Amino acid sequence: MSDPDTSTRPHGSRRGAALTLVFATVLATAAATGGLPRAEERPDDTAPAVRSAAATLDREDVARAAAEAMADGKSGTEAAEQFVSRSGDRWSAVYDSEEYEEFEDALDGEYTGVGLGARRTRDGGVEVSQVQPGGPAAGAGIRPGDRLRTVNGQDVARRPVTEVVGLLRGEAGSRVAVGLERGDRTWTAALTRARLTTQSVTVRRVDGAVVIKVDSFTKGTGAQVRDAVRGAPEGAGVLLDLRGNAGGLVAEAVTAASAFLDGGLVATYDVRGDQQALYAEAGGDTARPLVALVDGGTMSAAELLTGALKDRGRAVTVGSRTFGKGSVQMPSRLPDGSVAELTVGHYRTPAGHSVDGQGITPDLVAAESAEQRARTVLGGLKGAP
């Protein structure tokens, strides 16, 4: 979700009433923990580029479909979902009021789940990609790399990751049984779902460089990136790891870009033909060596940040082609209180390149040992005159 004006939010009086532009319909990072009602499965590096919708949806048409269904005594939400699904636009979606509030909470850095991320394995299985410290999964001793076998007795080996995520969801305080495998060991962990806070930014130091890993752009992420850059030792290079980052609040991505730029254009976008621009704040660190690490899971707001740093010549990009999600969604309240997130336009990088359906090809393609390659490049930049 993007919000060029961070003082306004789309849902409820406590968040303001201004329209919010949405660059990521879902946050895969939060979704993988069971925190979102719908999620797109994270693609692997060889996934084909997503196809853009042939035309943007008209919110009045969707609202009319919902109203007509309600007049006939049917569900307005279901009618809107059917209308949107027939459009062929995979990024537009309909949420009931409770789902949308949960979605917004996730963007605020909160979610209900068990504190583990999931991803597809090469052999078609599902494994744990990350475990949130202090969460139920961590407390049960679950580790990244453990294979997910069952959720509440249901085999998940060949299910889409999105379905596995749905099985992990539930009310805070409810129980879920997760079958796992680690080497020759198999066991079932009984987990209690909890209200958790996401940790979107982690910072570590490796070989004299600062590695800033950004998992998603939730509220406060941009400031955390800026603080990490300001707190880096003098002369230390920065490796900005955006792999697997499915996007989030674009205002936060712009703030993150501002940590490395001294003002200037970050991206342009259109909303039903009305052209707009996003600009970085002045005063960022423009001298520190910077490498951005990306892959096929780098999406949406993360691609916006990547495109800005690449086109402006601020960073060397390393990894594999990004996903290619550059469409803009806008929320619209429907007659029954549900919310339709509808595609209304697309954004472009500072050089005018469209991301949607194409992605960003990094300066150095490195699918294997990408982080090591990135650190090597960063070392070379530090040694350059």
Side-chain angles (χ1 to χ4, degrees), residues 25 57 84-85 87 89-94 329 340-344:
T25 302
L57 288 167
V84 169
S85 66
S87 73
D89 179 6
R90 68 179 295 183
W91 299 116
S92 290
V94 178
Q329 280 73 46
E341 298 271 11
L342 305 178
T343 299
V344 296

Side-chain angles (χ1 to χ4, degrees), residues 85-345:
S85 66
R86 290 195 297 267
S87 73
D89 179 6
R90 68 179 295 183
W91 299 116
S92 290
V94 178
Y95 302 87
D96 65 33
S97 58
E98 183 177 342
E99 288 175 336
Y100 195 67
E101 184 171 359
E102 185 179 0
F103 178 35
E104 286 204 304
D105 285 345
L107 289 172
D108 281 339
E110 298 180 349
Y111 67 94
T112 300
V114 297
L116 64 82
R119 65 188 173 200
R120 177 70 56 201
T121 62
R122 292 185 180 276
D123 62 2
V126 179
E127 71 177 12
V128 177
S129 59
Q130 58 183 336
V131 178
Q132 181 169 332
I142 298 173
R143 305 174 189 170
D146 288 344
R147 182 176 289 259
L148 289 170
R149 300 171 58 249
T150 61
V151 176
N152 282 338
Q154 299 185 49
D155 185 6
V156 300
R158 297 291 172 178
R159 289 177 180 246
V161 172
T162 50
E163 291 187 16
V164 179
V165 169
L167 293 173
L168 290 171
R169 289 181 57 240
E171 296 292 329
S174 63
R175 304 273 285 181
V176 58
V178 181
L180 300 130
E181 178 181 330
R182 182 188 303 158
D184 296 331
R185 178 193 175 197
T186 60
W187 79 103
T188 299
L191 306 177
T192 301
R193 299 180 178 98
R195 196 69 174 168
L196 302 171
T197 300
T198 61
Q199 184 178 4
S200 62
V201 179
T202 54
V203 182
R204 57 190 172 94
R205 296 184 183 181
V206 180
D207 297 334
V210 175
V211 179
I212 303 175
K213 170 65 174 171
V214 184
D215 287 325
S216 61
F217 287 101
T218 56
K219 186 177 180 180
T221 297
Q224 292 180 58
V225 172
R226 180 193 60 211
D227 292 345
V229 173
R230 290 177 177 175
E234 184 176 354
V238 169
L239 175 56
L240 183 64
D241 190 349
L242 299 174
R243 292 175 297 177
N245 185 321
L249 295 163
V250 162
E252 298 295 337
V254 173
T255 300
S258 301
F260 304 103
L261 300 170
D262 187 16
L265 187 64
V266 173
T268 59
Y269 62 92
D270 65 279
V271 178
R272 304 192 200 284
D274 183 19
Q275 300 298 315
Q276 304 289 337
L278 299 169
Y279 294 95
E281 297 178 3
D285 188 331
T286 61
R288 191 182 298 275
L290 175 64
V291 170
L293 188 56
V294 298
D295 67 3
T298 304
M299 300 171 61
S300 192
E303 291 178 285
L304 180 148
L305 174 57
T306 301
L309 298 177
K310 185 175 188 289
D311 284 4
R312 299 275 305 270
R314 180 60 187 92
V316 175
T317 51
V318 177
S320 50
R321 180 174 59 85
T322 63
F323 183 78
K325 199 282 183 183
S327 56
V328 182
Q329 280 73 46
M330 181 182 291
S332 179
R333 186 71 62 178
L334 299 179
D336 64 350
S338 59
V339 176
E341 298 271 11
L342 305 178
T343 299
V344 296

